[in-house]
Amino acid sequence: MADPKGFLKEGRQVAGRRPVEERVNDWDEVYPDGIGRALLPIITPQASRCMDCGIPFCHQGCPLGNIIPEWNDLVWRGDWKDAIERLHATNNFPEFTGRLCPAPCETACVLGINQDPVTIKNVEVSIIDRAWESGHVTPQPPEWLSGRTVAVVGSGPAGLAAAQQLTRAGHTVAVYERADAIGGLLRYGIPEFKMEKKHLDRRLDQMRREGTVFRAGVDVGAELTGEKLVERYDAVVLAMGSTVARDLNAPGRQLGGIHQAMEFLPQANRVAVGQSVEGQITATDKHVVIIGGGDTGADCLGTSIRQGAKSITQLEIMPQPGEDRPAGQPWPTYPMIYRVSSAHEEGGERVYSASTKEFVGDETGHVKALRLVEVVFEGGKLTEVEGTEREIPADLVLFAMGFTGPQRTGLVEQLGLELDERGNIKRDGDYASSRPGVFVAGDAGRGQSLIVWAIAEGRAAASKVDAYLTGSTALPAPVKPTDRPLMA
């Protein structure tokens, strides 16, 4: 282990963010010079807190099976080159997870039973950021080519992980993306202040140098049909995500000014990197109401602040969680506790136990207010509290309530794919769909989930595709399609 007494000598420390009054005036990451550099003064003693447990439950918390105690020890010893080798052994894109993952590994950390857990996520991002700066991340092209071809539909984390693994195994891989640039939600769904796109671009450059081909601006299922796709390639991996947004059909839903978060965020992200968007949905000088209390809602919050909203209210239908683990969610599960993101530090009001009753419009047919009511969770259902109805001003309403599954029209219909009871694409234990040669990875098959699960599924699906094409595989398969996070 690193320092046998490290957890006794060192308390948990995280990187300091830039002052709020500074960062809300730009789109740069909220950490000075990026989180990797911000962490350098404190990361070695933080790595020393890892106890190298006999049974490291952090492995169970992380679906990738990251070898966390090993790279913690290597960081403490200053062996950054070996640290990135051990990190890359299980994770293709630690610069993404180190910034965007909610770190279920940390809530499963054994030290977290009675102390603050190890800052695993921070150590991870320190390793990869230093590796890029030191030139330790290089292309790994295959030693030989198999002569087999694979199409990957979707360029989010699942699709990119599957593509990189299959390319390195010697297959010729083409990644299709209907947006005008590769990256999926990493490109246009995640705001710059959470992850600057330079981190995505340099990883894509590595993949191109390894041999992966990227074809952006191609809507598979439209100009390229599903039948043509399966005719052209020896195997197909569907990794197009869970993109059907959950809606709220309350009275007044038809009013102008009511949008899904994924209408609002991609436009803002384009403008943040210098593109122009005609008719952009913007929060400037508006009273903004965000319905949904999760990460996407927080992204809308931070974006609205930077656009100069008059006021921002984020609604959550469930009650406010406490700051300590609930009794019913013991270690090592991922608990529902009160969390404050960087966006929440910057402003806005969070309102819990609130249900939307009606959208109120003005004489032009545009939303001007939202009528809400308090609710309580009793007997397994939400009940309105009499006499608590009120209106709040709303010039822009954003839905950030999650997603219900992949798009059914187009590709899914063309290939005649079976769906499961939740509306996701059905797959067997080998990630294979009901159509021979067509595999499914990530949210399209699992349902809306975390980035770390998407990468794990991309890696696992790649191993099954490799075995399908060649009869055997040496690629790792960290998770099964039926695996789920640790639950109480």
Side-chain angles (χ1 to χ4, degrees):
M1 62 188 296
D3 182 348
K5 297 182 179 180
F7 70 98
L8 297 173
K9 296 187 295 186
E10 302 289 345
R12 179 182 170 101
Q13 276 187 285
V14 296
R17 295 165 177 153
R18 293 189 289 138
V20 169
E21 60 272 15
E22 172 189 316
R23 68 189 198 229
V24 297
N25 291 307
D26 61 47
W27 294 94
D28 298 339
E29 284 189 18
V30 299
Y31 297 94
D33 296 321
I35 187 171
R37 289 194 176 187
L39 285 165
L40 285 178
I42 64 172
I43 206 62
T44 298
Q46 289 305 297
S48 79
R49 298 181 70 237
C50 178
M51 301 186 295
D52 193 11
C53 308
I55 301 177
F57 275 79
C58 54
H59 289 191
Q60 287 295 111
C62 176
L64 283 165
N66 281 335
I67 315 168
I68 294 163
E70 290 191 21
W71 39 260
N72 276 328
D73 178 68
L74 290 165
V75 166
W76 181 72
R77 297 177 188 282
D79 190 347
W80 293 88
K81 188 173 183 179
D82 278 357
I84 187 58
E85 186 277 327
R86 300 312 295 145
L87 179 52
H88 267 152
T90 56
N91 187 354
N92 298 69
F93 313 123
E95 64 269 43
F96 304 160
T97 51
R99 286 172 168 81
L100 306 175
C101 181
C105 54
E106 293 188 15
T107 59
C109 173
V110 174
L111 187 58
I113 294 175
N114 58 4
Q115 292 190 35
D116 291 329
V118 176
T119 54
I120 298 169
K121 177 178 170 179
N122 281 357
V123 178
E124 175 184 31
V125 77
S126 296
I127 294 170
I128 182 58
D129 280 10
R130 182 158 179 155
W132 280 111
E133 290 186 4
S134 304
H136 293 154
V137 184
T138 58
Q140 298 179 35
E143 295 181 358
W144 57 275
L145 295 178
S146 68
R148 301 301 183 107
T149 59
V150 182
V152 177
V153 182
S155 64
L160 293 179
Q164 186 167 61
Q165 293 293 95
L166 289 166
T167 297
R168 290 175 174 178
H171 306 301
T172 301
V173 181
V175 178
Y176 289 87
E177 169 59 54
R178 63 182 173 184
D180 61 354
I182 297 297
L185 287 182
L186 295 170
R187 172 73 63 185
Y188 291 131
I190 302 298
E192 283 283 292
F193 57 81
K194 284 181 67 174
M195 188 185 79
E196 294 176 10
K197 300 308 172 281
K198 66 182 181 182
H199 303 294
L200 171 62
D201 290 334
R202 65 186 178 188
R203 184 62 77 171
L204 295 178
D205 183 62
Q206 180 205 32
M207 293 179 66
R208 288 187 182 94
R209 292 171 183 268
E210 291 172 349
T212 303
V213 176
F214 294 109
R215 293 176 177 164
V218 180
D219 189 354
V220 179
E223 61 255 47
L224 176 59
T225 66
E227 290 299 332
K228 288 183 179 179
L229 193 72
V230 296
E231 288 175 8
R232 186 178 299 179
Y233 294 91
D234 297 314
V236 173
V237 179
L238 302 183
M240 59 272 204
S242 178
T243 58
V244 179
R246 184 172 283 109
D247 213 317
L248 179 59
N249 292 317
R253 172 64 180 88
Q254 78 286 351
L255 293 169
I258 302 174
H259 302 277
Q260 292 287 350
M262 285 306 147
E263 297 175 79
F264 172 72
L265 289 173
Q267 293 183 356
N269 291 338
R270 288 177 181 275
V271 172
V273 296
Q275 299 181 28
S276 60
V277 175
E278 187 176 350
Q280 181 190 0
I281 303 165
T282 177
T284 307
D285 294 327
K286 294 176 182 175
H287 296 290
V288 180
V289 176
I290 303 163
I291 302 179
D295 286 344
T296 302
D299 293 344
C300 291
L301 171 63
T303 299
S304 297
I305 289 171
R306 285 160 178 77
Q307 289 182 349
K310 279 184 183 177
S311 70
I312 308 170
T313 306
Q314 186 176 7
L315 304 181
E316 169 58 59
I317 198 168
M318 298 303 290
Q320 180 175 333
E323 296 188 2
D324 299 320
R325 276 185 181 272
Q329 298 172 11
W331 174 90
T333 63
Y334 189 80
M336 296 299 295
I337 60 175
Y338 184 72
R339 294 180 170 88
V340 178
S341 71
S342 65
H344 293 131
E345 293 176 343
E346 297 165 356
E349 180 185 5
R350 303 169 80 176
V351 178
Y352 290 88
S353 300
S355 177
T356 301
K357 291 280 288 183
E358 181 183 1
F359 302 106
V360 182
D362 61 18
E363 63 278 0
T364 68
H366 196 280
V367 67
K368 70 173 184 179
L370 182 147
R371 183 171 293 124
L372 57 82
V373 63
E374 291 182 20
V375 292
V376 293
F377 194 68
E378 295 177 334
K381 65 178 182 178
L382 292 167
T383 305
E384 295 183 5
V385 178
E386 188 176 350
T388 61
E389 285 193 24
R390 62 187 175 101
E391 285 188 7
I392 57 175
D395 305 310
L396 174 63
V397 177
L398 301 172
F399 292 165
M401 302 178 293
F403 302 88
T404 61
Q407 180 180 318
R408 280 74 158 179
T409 58
L411 183 59
V412 172
E413 287 183 348
Q414 291 169 7
L415 294 178
L417 303 180
E418 294 181 20
L419 303 178
D420 63 20
E421 62 279 1
R422 300 181 64 189
N424 303 312
I425 302 174
K426 189 175 183 180
R427 65 259 179 98
D428 64 16
D430 291 329
Y431 289 88
S433 74
S434 56
R435 177 74 178 256
V438 177
F439 298 78
V440 186
D443 291 2
R446 172 171 292 273
Q448 182 182 344
S449 188
L450 304 178
I451 182 173
V452 68
W453 279 94
I455 296 172
E457 284 221 354
R459 289 171 63 87
S463 74
K464 303 304 181 183
V465 173
D466 187 37
Y468 169 79
L469 294 174
T470 65
S472 63
T473 185
L475 296 178
V479 292
K480 299 176 183 177
T482 52
D483 286 345
R484 291 294 180 268
L486 287 169
M487 301 292 289

